[in-house]
Amino acid sequence: GFHLSGTVTEPATATEPEMTYKVAISFDRCKITSVTCGCGNKDIFYCAHVVALSLYRIRKPDQVKLRLPISETLFQMNRDQLQKFVQYLITAHHTEVLPTAQKLADEILSSNSEINQVHGAPDPTAGASIDDENCWHLDEEQVREQVKLFLSQGGYYGSGKQLNSMFAKVREMLRMRDSNGARMLTLITEQFMADPRLSLWRQQGTGITEKCRQLWDELGALWVCVVLNPHCKLEEKSCWLRQLRKWGEMDVCPLEDGNYGNELPNITNALTQSSGHSQDSLARPRRTVFTRAIEGCDLHWQDSHLQRIISSDFYVSHSYQREGESLLFNSQGQPLWLEHVPTACARVDALRSHGYPREALRLTVAIINTLRLQQQRQLEIYKHQKKELLQRGATTITNLEGWVGHPLNPIGCLFLTLTEACRLEEENCLEISDAGDSKPPVYQHVPVVTGSQDSGESYLSLALEVALMGMGQQRVMPEGLYAQDKVCRNEEQIIARLQDLELDPVLVQTLRKQCILLLEGGPFSGLGEVIHRESVPMHTFAKYLFSALLPHDADLAYKLALRAMRLPVLETTAPSGDVTHPHHLVSVVPSRYPRWFTLGHLESQQCELASTMLTAAKGDMLRLRTVLEAIQKNIHSSSLIFKLAQDAFKIATPADSNSDTTLLNVALELGLQVMRMTLSTLNWRRREMVRWLVTCATEVGVRALVSILQSWYSLFTPTEATSIVAATVMSHNTILRLSLDYPQREELASCARTLALQCAMKDPQNCALSALTLCEKDHIAFETAYQIVIDAASTGMTYTQLFTIARYMEHRGYPLRAFKLASLAMTHLNLAYNQDTHPAINDVLWACALSHSLGKNELAAIIPLVVKSVHCATVLSDILRRCTMTAPGLAGIPGRRNSGKLMSTDKAPLRQLLDATISAYINTTHSRLTHISPRHYGEFIEFLSKARETFLLAQDGHIQFAQFIDNLKQIYKGKKKLMLLVRERFG
């Protein structure tokens, strides 16, 4: 039959009652062509009820009653039976069918109706005719709706995952050779092209978001796969080509490299040594995400050599033949396929995707044999040019087009094709653990089927070999952020796959052989002796190789990783800009410096590689030396060297066992390099770096501390040397940590004192106090430090610094020295009439209190300085009040007599202070009155009351004050309201 109908019962659950659904399915030539179900489910996949009915029919064919098409049954009925049949049918469904039945009856009875022009009548239960299209049922509306919904969510709520699973569905359809694959991809693409964000991104000139870019890439790759279907009809291909061109010509169509046009060659042209690389980007044709698929439409499968390769495992030649210039077989008689590599790999992907795994495998082997031959030839050419290239120290790149990060992912494609042939399918491999992470695949060696003598090779070792060849290919860093980012991403994806391989002896042998070839390989290898300045760095790849090789061949592992440490783009110094800040390169003119947007990431990968080597070399002095030299030569960023120093320190000082001295010394040496690099440049982490270095030197031991103290000037600023380095070295904790004996303690202290005095000489302002503190225990050093302060006081020091040191001196029991420094500080100070909240006021009050406590002479010496420096009336009256409250000389300096009498304001030195205070009040009053507002009147009257208190300390003070008030009334008589208040208070 062609039509299956049935009822499906869904059993009751805790929340839902039992439900019954009516299902109808049409099928034709082993394909379901349409479905309907009472559940009304809207999805691109069939509902469970349709699946249940189909499986029931497949598993229990004898339970399903087979009937003739309804037209046959009707044919056997006479007129009465037909009448009865129609009436019963209408009665059974009269509400739904009656209007239709009435309409049909009218049309049949009308002689010229459309229905009477056609011979016969339709029968849904009969099959389609042999010429009709037959394809699986696909609910197109649902596909559109779902894609639209997922795109509108902009990558949130797992929509990216959903779209990727739709792409996977397309691949699955292609593999089953279901013609709906291309149809579904068309529907998806239409929705992608209608995404409203495209025109927005284009207007704003911003790039497409990262998640979205990856989806567009997959879309482009899928179209390449579709058009390369080896068995598609010509008319299908031309239909796709029209569509692809139409999409590609739209303004909003995303470009292949994510920004401006790329210089990658056309898919159908094998790569020639072209000078077009530096061509101006404006001259390049616009390449969209569909360009490769459009170019792919020009490719065909008719080549007889290609047909023979993919159709037989035993296609060999025993004579070494060429056809024209291109080679068809290698010296072992195995077939070669000399097409542009990414294009050849796109064919492999197409074969794999369209359900031809054996054919894909055969073509893969031919491509690998071709790559091997090219590798051998390039090696031979390099041997002849080696001397000249090494003298030049540079090379032109042979590959303008990198295979890693390429839009067609050629290496990933070959690797997958080969490993899929070696996968051990476990019984329960479909079960995914609760966490949702599938177990890593398990592989076994499957021998390569070949017509020539047994090669002893397996598809698994070929997979490893081709991944290493591709990753090790020397290639120019592409232009543009997106393309550069893709290189890093693709590299990480391939390495993640390589890490799934268990390295047995066969694979280790492949790994070693390929690594040696990469090291010896000239310009075609990114690990060769000379590389181009803009070559994509090999750090991430080398880190994988190093870890994989280390247990089997440590010498080769180190040789390779050390070779890969270079980053030539930073080696050649730019005419402008500072090379210690490589991140500035991005903004330099592109012709001078390429725009490497991923430079930060690449440098951190370089650092990771170095860290991996340091960890492995722990305890091996020679190896550590070479790694250290490589770091010092190749890493240009101080923060990364600091990170390495910290890494080395962590590994060298495990919590549960003794420190490793070799690695500790490396950490210290790296730390010292960071100190030298950042000494003259500003670095926000500098304090942290200095503290860390002292900690590291402490771990190394007393000799390291002595060394950094003695060579401080090449590592630290004077402030750092005194306040952080020497202070930490001399702290109680350090002495305990090192458990030093007395001579060692003395040696450290002596070095710290020498450092302190040198720093105080170099930068007295910032280091004098620290120097005095560090020299406290040594009389001669302390005196020297004090003398340095006195010498610097008159020129290079501020009153704040001098007051601070003066207070320190008093605290240490040197009051006379404190007085001297306070007097020097006073000469640098100037307090204006309105600075009554100045931070130095406390220091001035303290200095006067100190002088007063020392005696009359000291007070007499400081008062003229105070009068000269302080013009603020309230401060002066405060000092005057304090000096008249107690007798001077209470500090009790030995050998001095003290009269114990209070001092008079009529006699020197207080008379001078009193006059200055009265004069300050008068000046301040006039200053305040020049621009006073009514809301400050009350405050002003209080100020005058305070002034009166000071005036009254003088013998004729009351007369002076009365004259002062009269004077005010005369001068400011215009301020009537204020003068009224003055009269009320002062008469």
Side-chain angles (χ1 to χ4, degrees):
F2 305 98
H3 186 274
L4 175 68
S5 53
T7 52
V8 177
T9 305
E10 201 165 308
T13 63
T15 53
E16 298 286 328
E18 180 180 278
M19 298 291 282
T20 303
Y21 300 104
K22 289 184 175 169
V23 184
I25 302 173
S26 306
F27 42 96
D28 177 14
R29 282 162 275 187
C30 303
K31 296 185 182 78
I32 291 177
T33 53
S34 75
V35 301
T36 50
C37 177
C39 74
N41 174 58
K42 290 276 174 225
D43 197 353
I44 59 171
F45 305 122
Y46 301 149
C47 66
H49 317 111
V50 168
V51 175
L53 184 63
S54 310
L55 290 175
Y56 187 82
R57 167 68 182 78
I58 293 165
R59 288 175 183 166
K60 303 185 176 173
D62 48 344
Q63 303 280 318
V64 179
K65 197 165 182 186
L66 193 59
R67 298 178 180 276
L68 285 170
I70 197 81
S71 51
E72 291 290 322
T73 314
L74 293 173
F75 188 69
Q76 292 165 18
M77 295 183 190
N78 62 26
R79 192 191 172 303
D80 288 352
Q81 287 172 315
L82 282 169
Q83 172 116 16
K84 200 170 198 172
F85 171 76
V86 172
Q87 283 180 265
Y88 267 97
L89 183 62
I90 291 170
T91 309
H93 300 283
H94 68 275
T95 50
E96 297 116 273
V97 175
L98 195 56
T100 313
Q102 198 66 62
K103 180 170 162 276
L104 286 173
D106 292 348
E107 285 188 11
I108 286 170
L109 292 173
S110 157
S111 58
N112 56 354
S113 67
E114 198 177 323
I115 211 166
N116 284 326
Q117 311 300 316
V118 183
H119 188 68
D123 178 1
T125 61
S129 93
I130 195 79
D131 310 321
D132 285 359
E133 273 293 304
N134 66 320
C135 61
W136 286 88
H137 169 67
L138 177 69
D139 188 339
E140 299 191 357
E141 197 41 50
Q142 266 320 106
V143 174
R144 287 193 194 95
E145 286 304 311
Q146 293 218 327
V147 177
K148 198 172 179 176
L149 172 71
F150 296 145
L151 282 174
S152 69
Q153 291 169 350
Y156 302 104
Y157 321 112
S159 60
K161 223 179 201 157
Q162 301 281 4
L163 287 164
N164 273 319
S165 76
M166 288 179 95
F167 288 147
K169 190 76 193 160
V170 172
R171 282 195 183 271
E172 187 189 323
M173 288 164 140
L174 298 179
R175 200 165 55 248
M176 305 305 292
R177 302 180 201 166
D178 174 356
S179 58
N180 272 332
R183 180 77 200 116
M184 181 154 158
L185 187 59
T186 304
L187 296 168
I188 294 174
T189 310
E190 280 166 354
Q191 290 308 312
F192 264 70
M193 288 302 294
D195 187 344
R197 292 175 299 168
L198 288 180
S199 53
L200 200 69
W201 284 323
R202 191 167 172 272
Q203 281 160 12
Q204 294 168 346
T206 49
I208 298 180
T209 59
E210 186 58 32
K211 279 181 177 155
C212 207
R213 266 282 6 163
Q214 291 173 29
L215 293 168
W216 275 102
D217 280 355
E218 177 61 7
L219 194 67
L222 268 173
W223 273 114
V224 173
C225 237
V226 167
V227 302
L228 281 179
N229 177 353
H231 291 128
C232 73
K233 301 190 187 92
L234 266 175
E235 55 268 28
E236 276 183 308
K237 203 185 249 191
S238 55
C239 173
W240 294 329
L241 183 58
R242 274 198 307 279
Q243 259 178 343
L244 290 164
R245 281 196 176 131
K246 188 185 86 193
W247 291 324
E249 281 159 13
M250 288 166 75
D251 283 349
V252 293
C253 187
L255 301 180
E256 180 173 74
D257 64 352
N259 38 23
Y260 39 82
N262 207 329
E263 74 290 352
L264 297 184
N266 181 304
I267 188 172
T268 51
N269 296 354
L271 192 57
T272 51
Q273 189 78 42
S274 124
S275 59
H277 176 57
S278 58
Q279 214 182 332
D280 181 12
S281 58
L282 294 174
R284 300 181 197 134
R286 178 169 174 269
R287 294 184 65 84
T288 72
V289 286
F290 301 117
T291 304
R292 286 181 188 272
I294 292 168
E295 292 166 357
C297 290
D298 296 340
L299 296 173
H300 61 80
W301 296 83
Q302 271 73 58
D303 182 281
S304 58
H305 181 56
L306 176 62
Q307 282 300 326
R308 288 191 193 115
I309 291 174
I310 63 178
S311 55
S312 163
D313 288 319
F314 305 104
Y315 175 42
V316 289
S317 162
H318 302 295
S319 59
Y320 195 52
Q321 56 167 296
R322 285 168 177 261
E323 184 183 282
E325 264 310 285
S326 64
L327 206 55
L328 296 185
F329 297 90
N330 64 12
S331 52
Q332 287 89 54
Q334 297 162 314
L336 303 174
W337 181 242
L338 274 85
E339 194 170 27
H340 167 229
V341 175
T343 310
C345 296
R347 287 186 189 275
V348 171
D349 191 29
L351 287 168
R352 220 182 98 241
S353 305
H354 288 285
Y356 302 100
R358 296 289 330 151
E359 289 81 347
L361 214 46
R362 290 170 188 142
L363 184 53
T364 300
V365 174
I367 294 170
I368 292 176
N369 282 327
T370 313
L371 290 176
R372 284 171 169 170
L373 188 66
Q374 285 173 354
Q375 197 178 41
Q376 281 311 119
R377 281 187 175 176
Q378 283 170 322
L379 205 54
E380 283 156 26
I381 296 169
Y382 172 59
K383 279 176 184 156
H384 295 301
Q385 303 173 339
K386 189 171 182 175
K387 202 170 173 189
E388 176 205 342
L389 278 173
L390 287 174
Q391 276 169 347
R392 274 219 318 262
T395 167
T396 51
I397 288 227
T398 50
N399 306 303
L400 293 185
E401 186 174 41
W403 299 331
V404 173
H406 189 284
L408 296 172
N409 188 12
I411 300 301
C413 158
L414 297 183
F415 185 82
L416 266 178
T417 307
L418 291 160
T419 49
E420 274 176 4
C422 304
R423 256 185 112 137
L424 255 181
E425 291 299 345
E426 293 174 43
E427 289 306 302
N428 54 355
C429 75
L430 286 174
E431 282 179 32
I432 289 177
S433 67
D434 293 341
D437 48 340
S438 48
K439 287 195 301 204
V442 182
Y443 299 111
Q444 59 183 355
H445 283 285
V446 176
V448 175
V449 184
T450 163
S452 56
Q453 70 281 25
D454 181 32
S455 60
E457 290 182 320
S458 84
Y459 291 119
L460 200 56
S461 60
L462 285 190
L464 176 62
E465 184 180 346
V466 79
L468 300 179
M469 264 188 196
M471 300 273 284
Q473 175 210 32
Q474 185 183 184
R475 52 200 182 267
V476 168
M477 178 65 82
E479 285 183 31
L481 166 63
Y482 181 69
Q484 291 175 10
D485 192 47
K486 204 161 156 185
V487 168
C488 303
R489 230 190 9 254
N490 194 203
E491 192 172 37
E492 280 158 14
Q493 285 162 351
I494 296 171
I495 287 173
R497 295 239 167 90
L498 285 173
Q499 281 164 337
D500 286 340
L501 301 181
E502 283 283 325
L503 292 181
D504 59 13
V506 178
L507 293 183
V508 169
Q509 192 186 345
T510 306
L511 178 71
R512 286 193 56 197
K513 184 178 154 197
Q514 200 47 239
C515 285
I516 292 164
L517 279 171
L518 286 172
L519 279 172
E520 290 174 358
F524 77 89
S525 161
L527 291 163
E529 279 173 276
V530 278
I531 53 168
H532 188 277
R533 187 167 145 255
E534 288 172 48
S535 199
V536 171
M538 293 278 139
H539 309 128
T540 316
F541 180 41
K543 186 179 142 194
Y544 161 76
L545 293 176
F546 178 79
S547 306
L549 273 172
L550 197 63
H552 312 289
D553 188 339
D555 286 341
L556 183 58
Y558 277 100
K559 189 178 178 187
L560 206 138
L562 290 165
R563 169 81 58 86
M565 271 295 288
R566 62 202 168 182
L567 188 50
V569 77
L570 297 184
E571 300 303 334
T572 24
T573 48
S576 61
D578 173 7
V579 179
T580 55
H581 289 104
H583 300 287
H584 295 169
L585 300 186
V586 170
S587 59
V588 183
V589 190
S591 60
R592 286 244 76 115
Y593 260 118
R595 289 169 69 86
W596 281 33
F597 298 94
T598 50
L599 194 58
H601 170 75
L602 297 171
E603 283 189 284
S604 68
Q605 289 301 303
Q606 182 188 32
C607 176
E608 287 286 309
L609 173 61
S611 183
T612 308
M613 284 197 280
L614 282 176
T615 311
K618 181 178 175 176
D620 185 330
M621 201 55 230
L622 275 173
R623 291 242 197 264
L624 279 172
R625 274 277 131 225
T626 50
V627 176
L628 179 65
E629 281 161 22
I631 292 168
Q632 290 171 329
K633 177 171 177 250
N634 293 301
I635 297 185
H636 300 278
S637 155
S638 54
S639 53
L640 289 175
I641 296 179
F642 182 48
K643 184 188 176 302
L644 281 172
Q646 289 174 304
D647 286 354
F649 182 77
K650 257 189 215 120
I651 303 156
T653 52
D656 48 359
S657 61
N658 294 338
S659 299
D660 179 89
T661 21
T662 54
L663 197 49
L664 254 181
N665 279 306
V666 168
L668 180 65
E669 218 166 308
L670 289 170
L672 294 171
Q673 187 185 342
V674 172
M675 288 298 107
R676 288 190 285 269
M677 284 171 87
T678 54
L679 179 58
S680 56
T681 57
L682 287 172
N683 190 307
W684 60 277
R685 294 183 67 190
R686 176 77 189 172
R687 279 182 80 79
E688 178 198 351
M689 291 167 167
V690 174
R691 286 181 200 285
W692 178 87
L693 185 83
V694 179
T695 309
C696 180
T698 309
E699 275 303 315
V700 175
V702 72
R703 301 288 3 120
L705 288 175
V706 168
S707 164
I708 65 168
L709 290 173
Q710 286 174 343
S711 58
W712 70 269
Y713 46 86
S714 67
L715 305 168
F716 315 108
T717 64
T719 319
E720 290 167 346
T722 51
S723 66
I724 305 178
V725 183
T728 313
V729 170
M730 295 310 296
S731 71
H732 188 58
N733 282 353
T734 308
I735 290 162
L736 280 181
R737 176 89 189 80
L738 290 169
S739 50
L740 304 177
D741 57 19
Y742 183 73
Q744 287 175 316
R745 283 214 294 269
E746 269 314 290
E747 184 187 14
L748 264 187
S750 163
C751 287
R753 287 193 292 267
T754 309
L755 171 148
L757 294 175
Q758 288 170 342
C759 292
M761 286 291 287
K762 199 169 165 62
D763 182 4
Q765 284 134 309
N766 296 310
C767 301
L769 186 59
S770 303
L772 287 164
T773 315
L774 287 162
C775 296
E776 278 171 2
K777 294 200 174 85
D778 183 287
H779 180 67
I780 297 171
F782 189 77
E783 289 304 311
T784 314
Y786 174 66
Q787 201 47 53
I788 292 171
V789 175
I790 296 296
D791 294 344
S794 54
T795 50
M797 297 185 75
T798 65
Y799 60 82
T800 314
Q801 290 159 341
L802 288 168
F803 275 132
T804 309
I805 297 169
R807 288 190 167 204
Y808 161 81
M809 280 294 182
E810 188 201 24
H811 179 69
R812 295 278 309 138
Y814 295 103
L816 288 168
R817 287 181 173 187
F819 168 73
K820 185 169 184 179
L821 287 165
S823 306
L824 287 167
M826 285 302 295
T827 60
H828 292 286
L829 181 67
N830 185 19
L831 276 185
Y833 78 90
N834 56 355
Q835 287 182 296
D836 50 0
T837 56
H838 194 282
I841 291 171
N842 279 334
D843 289 320
V844 173
L845 294 174
W846 168 80
C848 292
L850 173 72
S851 314
H852 186 261
S853 73
L854 288 173
K856 200 170 174 181
N857 296 344
E858 282 76 13
L859 192 60
I862 203 137
I863 280 176
L865 300 176
V866 171
V867 167
K868 192 173 174 202
S869 301
V870 180
H871 308 288
C872 181
T874 47
V875 178
L876 289 169
S877 64
D878 201 1
I879 296 170
L880 189 61
R881 191 174 51 78
R882 290 172 188 228
C883 290
T884 52
M885 279 164 68
T886 52
L890 294 182
I893 299 288
R896 284 198 187 180
R897 288 186 57 234
N898 174 15
S899 68
K901 282 201 311 199
L902 291 174
M903 291 172 76
S904 159
T905 51
D906 288 341
K907 297 186 187 139
L910 292 189
R911 177 75 216 197
Q912 190 186 356
L913 183 58
L914 176 61
D915 289 347
T917 311
I918 289 172
S919 156
Y921 268 119
I922 292 170
N923 290 336
T924 306
T925 302
H926 287 302
S927 294
R928 288 181 73 165
L929 282 172
T930 49
H931 42 73
I932 191 167
S933 68
R935 64 198 173 102
H936 292 126
Y937 286 176
E939 198 186 305
F940 177 72
I941 297 295
E942 291 311 313
F943 174 74
L944 282 182
S945 303
K946 274 206 180 123
R948 181 165 59 179
E949 286 169 23
T950 304
F951 272 83
L952 294 179
L953 290 173
Q955 272 194 329
D956 54 351
H958 59 288
I959 300 168
Q960 272 190 22
F961 187 71
Q963 281 173 344
F964 172 52
I965 294 291
D966 284 346
N967 207 356
L968 289 184
K969 287 186 230 167
Q970 197 53 39
I971 301 172
Y972 301 102
K973 58 177 179 243
K975 300 186 187 292
K976 291 193 175 71
K977 196 173 178 191
L978 179 60
M979 290 308 127
L980 193 70
L981 292 172
V982 170
R983 265 194 213 93
E984 272 177 19
R985 176 72 70 95
F986 304 110

Coordinates of all heavy atoms in Angstrom, one line a residue, residues 211-244:
K211 N 29.9 34.0 17.9 CA 29.1 32.8 17.8 C 28.4 32.7 16.4 O 28.4 31.6 15.8 CB 28.0 32.8 18.8 CG 28.5 32.3 20.2 CD 27.4 32.3 21.2 CE 27.8 31.8 22.5 NZ 27.0 32.2 23.6
C212 N 27.9 33.9 15.9 CA 27.2 33.9 14.7 C 28.2 33.6 13.5 O 27.8 33.0 12.5 CB 26.6 35.3 14.5 SG 25.2 35.3 13.5
R213 N 29.4 34.1 13.6 CA 30.4 33.9 12.5 C 30.6 32.4 12.3 O 30.7 32.0 11.2 CB 31.8 34.5 12.9 CG 32.1 35.9 12.5 CD 32.5 36.2 11.2 NE 32.5 35.1 10.2 CZ 32.6 35.4 8.9 NH1 32.6 36.6 8.4 NH2 32.6 34.4 8.0
Q214 N 30.7 31.7 13.4 CA 31.0 30.3 13.3 C 29.9 29.5 12.6 O 30.1 28.6 11.9 CB 31.3 29.7 14.7 CG 32.6 30.2 15.3 CD 32.8 29.8 16.7 OE1 32.4 28.8 17.1 NE2 33.5 30.6 17.5
L215 N 28.6 30.0 12.9 CA 27.5 29.4 12.2 C 27.5 29.7 10.7 O 27.2 28.8 9.9 CB 26.2 29.9 12.8 CG 25.9 29.5 14.3 CD1 24.8 30.3 14.9 CD2 25.6 28.0 14.4
W216 N 27.9 30.9 10.4 CA 27.9 31.3 8.9 C 29.0 30.4 8.2 O 28.9 30.0 7.1 CB 28.3 32.8 8.8 CG 27.0 33.6 8.8 CD1 26.6 34.4 9.8 CD2 26.1 33.8 7.7 NE1 25.4 35.0 9.5 CE2 25.1 34.7 8.2 CE3 26.0 33.3 6.4 CZ2 24.0 35.1 7.4 CZ3 24.9 33.7 5.6 CH2 23.9 34.6 6.1
D217 N 30.1 30.2 9.0 CA 31.2 29.4 8.4 C 30.7 28.0 8.1 O 31.0 27.4 7.0 CB 32.4 29.3 9.4 CG 33.2 30.5 9.3 OD1 33.0 31.4 8.5 OD2 34.2 30.6 10.2
E218 N 30.0 27.4 9.0 CA 29.5 26.0 8.9 C 28.5 26.0 7.7 O 28.5 25.1 6.9 CB 28.8 25.6 10.2 CG 28.2 24.2 10.1 CD 29.1 23.0 9.8 OE1 30.3 23.2 9.7 OE2 28.6 21.9 9.6
L219 N 27.7 27.1 7.6 CA 26.7 27.2 6.5 C 27.5 27.2 5.1 O 27.1 26.4 4.2 CB 26.0 28.5 6.6 CG 24.7 28.7 5.8 CD1 23.6 27.7 6.3 CD2 24.1 30.1 5.9
G220 N 28.5 28.0 5.0 CA 29.3 28.0 3.8 C 29.9 26.7 3.5 O 29.9 26.2 2.3
A221 N 30.5 26.0 4.5 CA 31.1 24.7 4.3 C 30.1 23.7 3.9 O 30.4 22.8 3.0 CB 31.8 24.3 5.6
L222 N 28.9 23.7 4.4 CA 27.8 22.8 4.0 C 27.5 22.9 2.6 O 27.2 22.0 1.9 CB 26.6 23.0 4.9 CG 26.6 22.1 6.2 CD1 25.4 22.5 7.0 CD2 26.4 20.6 5.8
W223 N 27.4 24.2 2.1 CA 27.1 24.4 0.7 C 28.2 23.8 -0.2 O 27.9 23.3 -1.3 CB 26.8 25.9 0.4 CG 25.4 26.3 0.6 CD1 24.9 27.1 1.6 CD2 24.2 25.7 -0.1 NE1 23.5 27.2 1.5 CE2 23.1 26.3 0.5 CE3 24.1 24.9 -1.1 CZ2 21.8 26.1 0.1 CZ3 22.8 24.6 -1.6 CH2 21.7 25.2 -1.0
V224 N 29.4 24.0 0.2 CA 30.5 23.4 -0.6 C 30.3 21.9 -0.7 O 30.4 21.3 -1.8 CB 31.9 23.7 0.0 CG1 33.0 22.9 -0.7 CG2 32.2 25.2 0.0
C225 N 29.9 21.3 0.4 CA 29.6 19.9 0.4 C 28.5 19.5 -0.5 O 28.5 18.5 -1.2 CB 29.1 19.5 1.9 SG 30.1 18.3 2.6
V226 N 27.4 20.3 -0.5 CA 26.2 20.0 -1.3 C 26.6 20.0 -2.8 O 26.2 19.1 -3.5 CB 25.1 21.0 -1.0 CG1 24.0 20.9 -2.0 CG2 24.5 20.6 0.4
V227 N 27.3 21.1 -3.2 CA 27.5 21.3 -4.6 C 28.5 20.3 -5.1 O 28.6 20.0 -6.3 CB 28.0 22.7 -5.0 CG1 26.9 23.7 -4.6 CG2 29.3 23.1 -4.5
L228 N 29.3 19.7 -4.2 CA 30.3 18.7 -4.6 C 29.8 17.3 -4.6 O 30.5 16.3 -4.7 CB 31.6 18.8 -3.7 CG 32.5 19.9 -4.1 CD1 33.7 19.9 -3.2 CD2 33.0 19.8 -5.5
N229 N 28.5 17.1 -4.4 CA 27.9 15.8 -4.4 C 28.2 15.1 -5.7 O 27.9 15.6 -6.8 CB 26.3 16.0 -4.3 CG 25.6 14.7 -4.4 OD1 26.2 13.6 -4.6 ND2 24.3 14.7 -4.2
P230 N 29.0 14.0 -5.6 CA 29.5 13.4 -6.8 C 28.3 12.9 -7.8 O 28.6 12.6 -9.0 CB 30.3 12.2 -6.4 CG 30.0 12.0 -4.9 CD 29.4 13.3 -4.4
H231 N 27.1 12.7 -7.3 CA 26.1 12.1 -8.1 C 24.9 13.1 -8.3 O 23.8 12.6 -8.5 CB 25.6 10.8 -7.5 CG 26.6 9.7 -7.7 ND1 27.1 9.0 -6.6 CD2 27.4 9.4 -8.7 CE1 28.0 8.1 -7.0 NE2 28.3 8.4 -8.3
C232 N 25.1 14.4 -8.2 CA 24.0 15.3 -8.3 C 23.7 15.6 -9.8 O 24.6 15.5 -10.7 CB 24.2 16.6 -7.6 SG 25.3 17.7 -8.3
K233 N 22.5 15.9 -10.2 CA 22.1 16.1 -11.6 C 22.6 17.6 -11.9 O 22.6 18.4 -11.1 CB 20.6 16.0 -11.8 CG 20.1 14.7 -11.4 CD 18.6 14.6 -11.8 CE 18.0 13.3 -11.3 NZ 17.3 13.5 -10.0
L234 N 22.8 17.8 -13.2 CA 23.3 19.1 -13.7 C 22.3 20.2 -13.4 O 22.7 21.3 -13.0 CB 23.6 19.0 -15.2 CG 25.1 18.7 -15.5 CD1 25.2 18.6 -17.0 CD2 26.0 19.8 -15.0
E235 N 21.0 19.8 -13.6 CA 20.0 20.9 -13.4 C 19.9 21.3 -11.9 O 19.7 22.5 -11.6 CB 18.6 20.5 -13.9 CG 18.0 19.2 -13.4 CD 18.4 18.0 -14.3 OE1 19.5 18.1 -15.0 OE2 17.7 17.1 -14.3
E236 N 20.1 20.3 -11.0 CA 20.2 20.6 -9.6 C 21.3 21.6 -9.3 O 21.1 22.6 -8.6 CB 20.4 19.3 -8.7 CG 19.2 18.5 -8.4 CD 19.6 17.3 -7.6 OE1 20.5 16.5 -7.9 OE2 19.0 17.1 -6.5
K237 N 22.5 21.3 -9.9 CA 23.7 22.1 -9.6 C 23.5 23.5 -10.1 O 23.8 24.5 -9.4 CB 24.9 21.5 -10.3 CG 26.2 21.9 -9.7 CD 27.4 21.4 -10.4 CE 28.2 20.3 -9.6 NZ 29.4 20.0 -10.1
S238 N 22.9 23.7 -11.3 CA 22.7 25.0 -11.9 C 21.6 25.8 -11.0 O 21.7 27.0 -10.9 CB 22.3 25.0 -13.3 OG 21.2 24.2 -13.5
C239 N 20.7 25.1 -10.5 CA 19.7 25.7 -9.6 C 20.4 26.2 -8.3 O 20.1 27.4 -7.9 CB 18.6 24.7 -9.3 SG 17.4 25.3 -8.1
W240 N 21.2 25.4 -7.7 CA 22.0 25.8 -6.5 C 22.9 27.0 -6.9 O 22.9 28.0 -6.1 CB 22.8 24.7 -6.0 CG 22.1 23.6 -5.5 CD1 20.8 23.6 -4.9 CD2 22.5 22.2 -5.5 NE1 20.4 22.3 -4.5 CE2 21.4 21.4 -4.9 CE3 23.6 21.5 -5.9 CZ2 21.5 20.1 -4.7 CZ3 23.7 20.1 -5.7 CH2 22.6 19.4 -5.1
L241 N 23.5 27.0 -8.0 CA 24.5 28.0 -8.4 C 23.7 29.4 -8.5 O 24.2 30.4 -8.0 CB 25.1 27.7 -9.7 CG 26.2 28.7 -10.2 CD1 27.3 28.9 -9.2 CD2 26.8 28.2 -11.6
R242 N 22.5 29.3 -9.1 CA 21.7 30.6 -9.2 C 21.4 31.1 -7.8 O 21.6 32.3 -7.6 CB 20.4 30.3 -9.9 CG 20.5 30.4 -11.5 CD 19.1 30.5 -12.1 NE 18.2 29.5 -11.7 CZ 18.1 28.3 -12.2 NH1 19.0 27.9 -13.2 NH2 17.2 27.4 -11.8
Q243 N 21.0 30.2 -6.9 CA 20.6 30.7 -5.6 C 21.9 31.3 -4.8 O 21.8 32.3 -4.2 CB 20.2 29.4 -4.8 CG 18.7 29.3 -4.6 CD 18.4 28.0 -3.9 OE1 19.2 27.1 -3.7 NE2 17.1 28.0 -3.4
L244 N 23.0 30.5 -4.9 CA 24.2 31.0 -4.2 C 24.7 32.3 -4.7 O 25.1 33.2 -4.0 CB 25.3 29.9 -4.4 CG 25.1 28.6 -3.7 CD1 26.0 27.5 -4.2 CD2 25.3 28.8 -2.2

